[in-house]
Amino acid sequence: MSRSPQVDGLLFSALFNERGVLASLVVSQVVAIVLAFAPNVEGDIWLRLGIISLFLHLIVLVSTSSLYFCRFFLQKRTQTFQLSLFFVSFLSSTCIFSILFSHFAFDIDDTNKLIFFTLRNCIIVALLAALFVQFLLIHFEKEQQTKALARAELDALQARIRPHFLYNSLNTAAELTHHDATAAEQAILGLAALSQAAMRSGQSVPLEDEITLSKQYVALEAWRFGSRLKLDWQIPNELPVLNIPCLTLQPLIENAVCHGVEPSETGAVIKVELHVTIGYLTIIVTNPISVASTNTRPSNGMALENIRQRLNIYYKGKAQLTIANKNGVFRVKVVIPKHVESQL
């Protein structure tokens, strides 16, 4: 079964993205308009609207920023503790800005009036925070249900992975035991690593580990195809420190071996390229396709579609897998983001 690389237990994480911040400011602005245009209000309405808008926006932004800096601490705590700190943050900011605005904006010098002014603001902000909490809880429950469905779909896709090389490699290891015991031992150890990877498909692994796994697979297949199998690795000397879903690169190389090397009598050269940009990692695997491959091998669309669906679930639609078949060369290009906001 696939497990979550990182569990996000923060109830109000939705406030920390662009849409969450915008929604908070819009709601606070609506409340400011209601308070400014309330009946029996003396003074310039537009000036009052500006002061109240600034007052509420500062409270929302300061409180949200405080919670954002405490997010790693909060996500390990209970929901009750998170909600309590949520209200404490908003009410504390309200008290601080009420005292500041009472002197600079509202000319309140009397202590009793200041207490009444602060309490009234706390009640208004508490009601506003309660409204936020209600919508955040609904969003959190919906997000958890979506993640559960995505995990179930990812597990179903994982169950459909059929690493054919496992059976071929077992036969290869069995044959090597009669000719080269050391090579047979190395083949079995490599096969064990690949079997473990097949069982944890859906989890994330370091990019360097995925490349090492792919090279172990190539070493196993080299026992079968010999000089017919050649790889041209074009990868940076220094790999970025990031995680990708396990069995992302290896199935692409396996697909190239099955459709480029196996059907060809003379073999083929498989080119593996890795390109790193500021925000994305690009993987390109190309292999020549012979006439025999198109006539004897079944379509490889199912395997590539499986990889595409797993990447879409893992990266929430931000990853791309494109294929091209031109002039007898089959090309698979995978583009994945280097930074993921929230994984399954």
Side-chain angles (χ1 to χ4, degrees):
M1 300 290 289
S2 64
R3 296 180 302 177
S4 171
Q6 179 180 1
V7 178
D8 186 5
L10 196 59
L11 286 175
F12 34 82
S13 59
L15 285 178
F16 303 146
N17 54 40
E18 296 84 351
R19 294 182 61 184
V21 174
L22 179 61
S24 301
L25 295 178
V26 169
V27 171
S28 60
Q29 184 61 45
V30 171
V31 175
I33 293 174
V34 172
L35 294 176
F37 286 89
N40 301 324
V41 175
E42 300 178 355
D44 188 348
I45 293 180
W46 298 108
L47 178 61
R48 181 179 177 84
L49 175 61
I51 295 175
I52 296 176
S53 299
L54 178 62
F55 176 74
L56 291 178
H57 289 335
L58 286 174
I59 291 175
V60 171
L61 291 176
V62 170
S63 301
T64 305
S65 300
S66 302
L67 294 171
Y68 177 79
F69 289 119
C70 299
R71 65 191 185 282
F72 297 114
F73 168 77
L74 288 174
Q75 67 182 3
K76 300 177 182 178
R77 298 299 183 267
T78 63
Q79 294 185 1
T80 302
F81 183 87
Q82 292 182 37
L83 292 176
S84 299
L85 194 60
F86 182 85
F87 279 99
V88 169
S89 176
F90 271 82
L91 293 178
S92 300
S93 299
T94 303
C95 292
I96 293 173
F97 285 109
S98 294
I99 295 174
L100 292 176
F101 273 69
S102 65
H103 295 288
F104 297 104
F106 295 101
D107 296 328
I108 299 177
D109 297 325
D110 185 70
T111 304
N112 292 329
K113 291 183 178 180
L114 177 60
I115 295 175
F116 175 77
F117 176 75
T118 303
L119 288 177
R120 186 186 65 177
N121 292 338
C122 287
I123 293 174
I124 294 174
V125 172
L127 294 175
L128 182 62
L131 180 64
F132 282 166
V133 167
Q134 182 64 31
F135 284 105
L136 289 172
L137 288 175
I138 295 175
H139 180 273
F140 181 79
E141 293 176 359
K142 183 179 179 180
E143 186 179 35
Q144 294 303 308
Q145 293 175 357
T146 303
K147 287 184 177 181
L149 291 174
R151 282 194 295 266
E153 186 175 354
L154 190 60
D155 290 337
L157 290 171
Q158 174 188 341
R160 290 169 52 189
I161 296 177
R162 295 175 295 177
H164 303 287
F165 65 85
L166 293 178
Y167 310 108
N168 296 329
S169 299
L170 281 173
N171 294 330
T172 302
E175 295 177 3
L176 287 173
T177 55
H178 301 290
H179 306 286
D180 190 340
T182 303
E185 181 181 0
Q186 294 298 322
I188 292 174
L189 291 176
L191 180 60
L194 290 165
S195 301
Q196 291 177 354
M199 288 186 292
R200 66 173 184 266
S201 173
Q203 303 178 30
S204 65
V205 296
L207 174 61
E208 185 176 359
D209 291 353
E210 179 69 12
I211 294 176
T212 302
L213 180 72
S214 301
K215 291 183 177 181
Q216 289 177 325
Y217 162 72
V218 173
L220 281 173
E221 292 289 47
W223 293 111
R224 293 178 57 208
F225 299 107
S227 60
R228 293 168 56 198
L229 174 60
K230 300 181 180 66
L231 262 85
D232 180 11
W233 294 92
Q234 298 185 7
I235 60 178
N237 294 327
E238 295 184 2
L239 295 173
V241 180
L242 61 90
N243 287 359
I244 64 174
C246 185
L247 292 181
T248 297
L249 175 60
Q250 183 278 326
L252 299 179
I253 299 178
E254 181 185 359
N255 182 77
V257 170
C258 292
H259 297 272
V261 177
E262 187 173 354
S264 175
E265 296 181 358
T266 58
V269 177
I270 299 173
K271 182 187 293 186
V272 180
E273 304 175 49
L274 262 71
H275 302 282
V276 182
T277 59
I278 296 178
Y280 294 91
L281 171 70
T282 302
I283 302 173
I284 301 175
V285 179
T286 57
N287 64 273
I289 297 181
S290 62
V291 178
S293 174
T294 57
N295 294 335
T296 60
R297 297 291 300 182
S299 172
N300 56 3
M302 181 177 296
L304 296 178
E305 182 62 27
N306 185 295
I307 299 172
R308 179 185 286 112
Q309 291 180 19
R310 288 194 293 120
L311 291 175
N312 283 336
I313 293 174
Y314 192 90
Y315 292 102
K316 299 182 179 180
K318 296 182 179 180
Q320 295 180 355
L321 187 151
T322 57
I323 59 176
N325 188 350
K326 185 177 181 181
N327 298 328
V329 177
F330 190 81
R331 181 175 182 265
V332 181
K333 179 180 179 181
V334 175
V335 181
I336 57 179
K338 293 171 61 177
H339 305 287
V340 184
E341 293 181 1
S342 178
Q343 300 167 343
L344 298 179

